[in-house]
Amino acid sequence: MPQTAELISVIVPVYNVKDYLVQCVKSIINQTYKDIEILLIDDGSTDGSGKICDSLSNKFPIVKVIHKKNEGLGLTRNVGILNAKGKYVTFIDSDDYIAPSFIENLVLGLKKYNVDSIISGFKRIDSNNNIFYKEEYKMQVYEDDDVMDKVFTKMLGSLPEKHDSLKMSVWGNLYSMEIIKRYNLYFVSERKIISEDIIWNNDYFKKIRRVAILPFCDYYYRSNDNSLSLKYNPKRFQQVIYLYLILKQIIKEDHLPQNALLRAQKQFFVNIRSCISQLQNLFLKKHYQELLTIINDDTLQEVLSQYPIERLNTKQKIFLLLLKNRDAKLLFILNKSKLI
């Protein structure tokens, strides 16, 4: 542990995660870095998660619980920020967990490289804690204009011909509470703007001087089959369009490099694919009607006309060409066969 310990606030939004909550909190309690506070913000859970929070708080003094009405992930994190007493803050989703050295590695990197923020990789796990994907980054320190041009820009997505993005999520990172308070930074609601994390990171990273990317993967991110992102949401497609238009405006206003728009557009197509996949369990007529709405959208067709589809791999290229050519029948067949 560093000789001069800084208090780290660990903000954990909680909503209906009774099966995973104890594992998450105990992984934080068991950290090798001990100068921490854990804020469990119960977002109106209905499955008993709130009672589990209270039980953990009664047993462990470093655990603090706040119960609130249901408002969603972004606004729940804001309650944590308002109540955090640490010099730095990290966010952990309540169905995830961290390795014992997670926070210590973040703090050591913070001190060693004299930075305002730390980004680290992650391992993706299933409901049984089996690891099926690992995202590890090379050690890098960026400062001044490079923070936005080479770090935030990569959070927008990958270039057409390769996967070279940085995760846009806030979990697994370390942020300065001094900067958050100085600039009055808070999350927008994901019910208004999906991917509230990318908006937060934009607000935060343009206010800092230095950031380090560390090469360890001590965060375990759970892919949940019951995730809301996998279920049909009639508003989802328009939310995806709205997010893209906001990011396009951010890229222009922040004078980000030319490749930023390409990155945002590729992620836009990933989100479109997700919207189409959500249609799989709808009745056939509704499925086809929603698919037609998507492929005939003016914004989507405009982006497709601008994007260098030829630089993509074969599978991605075929998908975008089907969208561009508005081939609803073939897209419908492939989607019902779960090939999209």
Side-chain angles (χ1 to χ4, degrees):
M1 186 187 302
Q3 291 181 346
T4 304
E6 305 283 8
L7 179 64
I8 305 299
S9 296
V10 184
I11 296 176
V12 184
V14 176
Y15 182 71
N16 289 358
V17 286
K18 65 178 183 179
D19 293 337
Y20 305 114
L21 182 56
V22 171
Q23 181 187 27
C24 173
V25 176
K26 286 193 173 180
S27 77
I28 306 169
I29 291 168
N30 292 331
Q31 290 295 292
T32 55
Y33 188 94
K34 297 301 182 184
D35 199 4
I36 62 175
E37 63 168 0
I38 304 170
L39 293 99
L40 303 181
I41 317 299
D42 173 31
D43 188 31
S45 295
T46 58
D47 70 341
S49 292
K51 291 182 179 179
I52 296 173
C53 289
D54 291 335
S55 175
L56 289 164
S57 180
N58 290 334
K59 190 178 295 186
F60 302 102
I62 63 170
V63 177
K64 302 172 185 177
V65 179
I66 298 173
H67 299 282
K68 57 182 284 295
K69 68 177 183 180
N70 180 258
E71 295 177 294
L73 182 60
L75 300 187
T76 300
R77 285 179 178 149
N78 289 343
V79 172
I81 290 171
L82 287 169
N83 288 275
K85 294 181 172 62
K87 187 170 182 179
Y88 298 93
V89 62
T90 188
F91 301 95
I92 298 177
D93 286 355
S94 50
D95 52 352
D96 301 340
Y97 64 92
I98 53 177
S101 60
F102 172 74
I103 293 177
E104 184 169 4
N105 282 334
L106 294 181
V107 175
L108 287 171
L110 190 81
K111 301 299 182 184
K112 181 177 180 179
Y113 299 108
N114 188 28
V115 293
D116 303 303
S117 196
I118 296 286
I119 297 170
S120 67
F122 64 95
K123 297 182 181 79
R124 195 182 295 267
I125 57 173
D126 62 21
S127 57
N128 296 315
N129 300 322
N130 299 309
I131 300 168
F132 63 90
Y133 175 78
K134 179 179 179 181
E135 184 149 311
E136 186 173 7
Y137 307 125
K138 292 182 179 179
M139 172 63 220
Q140 294 279 356
V141 177
Y142 296 93
E143 61 184 2
D144 300 327
D145 289 347
D146 283 349
V147 172
M148 288 297 289
D149 291 350
K150 296 183 179 179
V151 178
F152 176 76
T153 292
K154 282 193 172 184
M155 290 180 174
L156 294 170
S158 294
L159 288 173
E161 57 279 331
K162 58 184 175 180
H163 174 72
D164 66 339
S165 64
L166 292 170
K167 65 182 174 70
M168 65 178 68
S169 304
V170 299
W171 44 255
N173 301 340
L174 193 65
Y175 298 92
S176 164
M177 280 299 298
E178 190 274 328
I179 288 171
I180 291 169
K181 290 178 179 178
R182 185 197 310 170
Y183 295 103
N184 202 31
L185 302 180
Y186 293 102
F187 286 88
V188 297
S189 171
E190 73 279 6
R191 295 174 183 178
K192 293 182 178 179
I193 303 176
I194 59 168
S195 191
E196 71 285 357
D197 288 18
I198 192 68
I199 305 301
W200 162 271
N201 280 326
N202 174 255
D203 291 340
Y204 179 87
F205 282 105
K206 60 187 174 186
K207 302 297 186 185
I208 69 173
R209 192 178 66 84
R210 283 168 62 87
V211 59
I213 300 174
L214 301 186
F216 64 86
C217 300
D218 287 346
Y219 190 101
Y220 293 82
Y221 169 76
R222 193 179 306 277
S223 289
N224 191 337
D225 291 338
N226 295 319
S227 170
L228 291 175
S229 64
L230 301 177
K231 297 178 181 178
Y232 172 66
N233 177 354
K235 298 179 181 178
R236 181 76 177 184
F237 175 63
Q238 288 305 319
Q239 290 174 328
V240 166
I241 296 292
Y242 184 51
L243 174 64
Y244 170 73
L245 294 175
I246 288 174
L247 293 178
K248 184 178 177 182
Q249 187 64 28
I250 285 173
I251 290 166
K252 180 180 179 181
E253 291 177 354
D254 291 348
H255 306 289
L256 295 180
Q258 190 173 5
N259 71 76
L261 186 59
L262 277 180
R263 292 177 181 278
Q265 288 174 334
K266 188 172 183 181
Q267 185 59 42
F268 174 61
F269 296 136
V270 171
N271 293 339
I272 293 295
R273 184 190 293 269
S274 174
C275 289
I276 293 175
S277 295
Q278 285 186 354
L279 306 178
Q280 290 171 356
N281 295 321
L282 295 181
F283 289 115
L284 297 183
K285 184 177 180 181
K286 179 68 171 175
H287 181 163
Y288 194 74
Q289 288 174 337
E290 292 295 312
L291 186 57
L292 285 174
T293 299
I294 291 173
I295 64 176
N296 287 314
D297 181 81
D298 290 341
T299 300
L300 173 59
Q301 288 298 327
E302 180 183 359
V303 178
L304 286 165
S305 70
Q306 299 169 350
Y307 193 77
I309 296 175
E310 70 281 357
R311 290 168 57 182
L312 294 169
N313 67 39
T314 301
K315 184 177 180 180
Q316 294 168 334
K317 190 184 300 182
I318 291 171
F319 174 63
L320 291 202
L321 287 173
L322 289 173
L323 290 176
K324 187 174 183 180
N325 294 329
R326 309 182 197 223
D327 195 335
K329 290 182 179 178
L330 188 49
L331 281 166
F332 176 79
I333 293 169
L334 291 172
N335 198 38
K336 288 301 292 182
S337 303
K338 298 186 177 181
L339 297 174
I340 287 182

